[in-house]
Amino acid sequence: MRRTAARRGIDRPNQPTINVKVRARWTIPLTAGLAITLAACGGPSTPPEPDSPAAYNNRGNVWLGKKEYEKANGDFNEAIRLDPGSVWPRLGKALVGLSTGREEAVADARLAIEAAGWKDENSIYATIVGHLGARRVKKDDVAKEVLDEADRKADKSHWPYPVVKYLRREIDEKALLALATDDDKMTEARCYLGIDQMLSGRPAEARENFLWVKEHGTPGYVEVPLAVAELDRLETEKPAGGK
């Protein structure tokens, strides 16, 4: 099931809301007037309304899906400036950091956790992104700290906590996929599993999971363009004549 996140003070009264299909969990419901600023309704080059953190956040998600990482980061920063307590643009910035191999991924993930609180499922997504981001920049001690903190503080009844259990090596790949009981969860599990495998030097297994997400993943989930970007990375990094 697609999940959207409403923020107080964003929707305008007496206007219908439109959920733009860019990032299902972290896309903020927009009024009809704001929705026209996004790619799905006219192109990301159209400037968002200047006082709308929702529009900047959602346009940032559009840029993220297009691998326009600097533009995405700029829009997420503007959304945070307008609404400093917002979770979703901080998650967006953490994803930019993971995708581009920046150390800031961990700091942004931790800020997202702080904004969400440990009882919120978004803190678990931020944990996963922060952990993988730390590993990408060879900060294995920090990566472990991120998981250990989640083990102490997160609500383990929430999906996607099984992904955290897998990353802590408490369960194996087969057990993780068995717990992904629908296509939404499978999209997420296989994407993060693939990134873990790629960072662990298992590119063939990673490619298999990324291809599944590309071909069968839930449309609108951020893990789909993330997996596609990682597939592109695998092709770029493949040795000449390699498979």
Side-chain angles (χ1 to χ4, degrees):
M1 180 183 296
R2 290 192 178 91
R3 288 157 287 178
T4 56
R7 284 291 297 166
R8 56 181 171 75
I10 288 176
D11 291 335
R12 296 182 178 181
N14 304 318
Q15 293 191 23
T17 60
I18 298 174
N19 293 326
V20 178
K21 297 178 182 178
V22 177
R23 173 189 285 168
R25 292 183 308 279
W26 303 331
T27 297
I28 301 170
L30 299 179
T31 65
L34 296 180
I36 62 172
T37 66
L38 302 180
C41 306
S45 60
T46 306
E49 294 187 13
D51 61 346
S52 172
Y56 278 105
N57 177 79
N58 291 356
R59 192 177 70 168
N61 290 331
V62 174
W63 290 127
L64 182 63
K66 292 176 175 290
K67 297 192 289 186
E68 294 276 4
Y69 297 120
E70 295 306 320
K71 292 178 181 178
N73 224 30
D75 277 348
F76 292 139
N77 282 331
E78 185 63 12
I80 292 167
R81 185 186 71 80
L82 292 166
D83 185 4
S86 182
V87 176
W88 298 280
R90 296 194 185 281
L91 282 166
K93 283 175 62 65
L95 282 165
V96 169
L98 171 61
S99 297
T100 57
R102 296 176 181 173
E103 291 190 19
E104 291 87 345
V106 179
D108 287 321
R110 283 175 163 159
L111 288 169
I113 292 168
E114 182 180 336
W118 278 108
K119 297 301 182 183
D120 190 300
E121 67 179 17
N122 284 315
S123 67
I124 303 174
Y125 289 101
T127 293
I128 295 165
V129 174
H131 167 79
L132 295 172
R135 285 174 58 192
R136 175 151 280 166
V137 296
K138 312 298 185 185
K139 300 286 187 180
D140 291 343
D141 54 340
V142 175
K144 182 178 183 300
E145 289 172 6
V146 171
L147 294 183
D148 288 347
E149 186 175 15
D151 180 56
R152 295 192 304 271
K153 298 179 180 179
D155 185 341
K156 298 177 184 179
S157 67
H158 281 318
W159 178 267
Y161 195 80
V163 178
V164 175
K165 292 182 68 176
Y166 166 78
L167 294 171
R168 285 174 56 81
R169 308 310 184 214
E170 295 173 4
I171 61 174
D172 62 14
E173 173 186 344
K174 183 177 179 180
L176 172 60
L177 294 180
L179 292 168
T181 53
D182 57 41
D183 283 349
D184 295 351
K185 292 177 180 177
M186 190 65 77
T187 298
E188 296 168 346
R190 285 188 180 272
C191 176
Y192 298 122
L193 177 59
I195 297 174
D196 170 72
Q197 290 167 334
M198 188 164 68
L199 294 173
S200 300
R202 297 152 59 194
E205 295 168 75
R207 183 177 288 106
E208 180 179 340
N209 281 302
F210 293 145
L211 281 172
W212 189 98
V213 177
K214 179 180 179 180
E215 295 171 0
H216 307 291
T218 301
Y221 267 39
V222 69
E223 288 81 10
V224 176
L226 184 58
V228 171
E230 296 298 336
L231 269 175
D232 292 344
R233 188 193 304 272
L234 281 173
E235 291 304 312
T236 300
E237 295 177 353
K238 185 168 63 176
K243 296 183 179 180

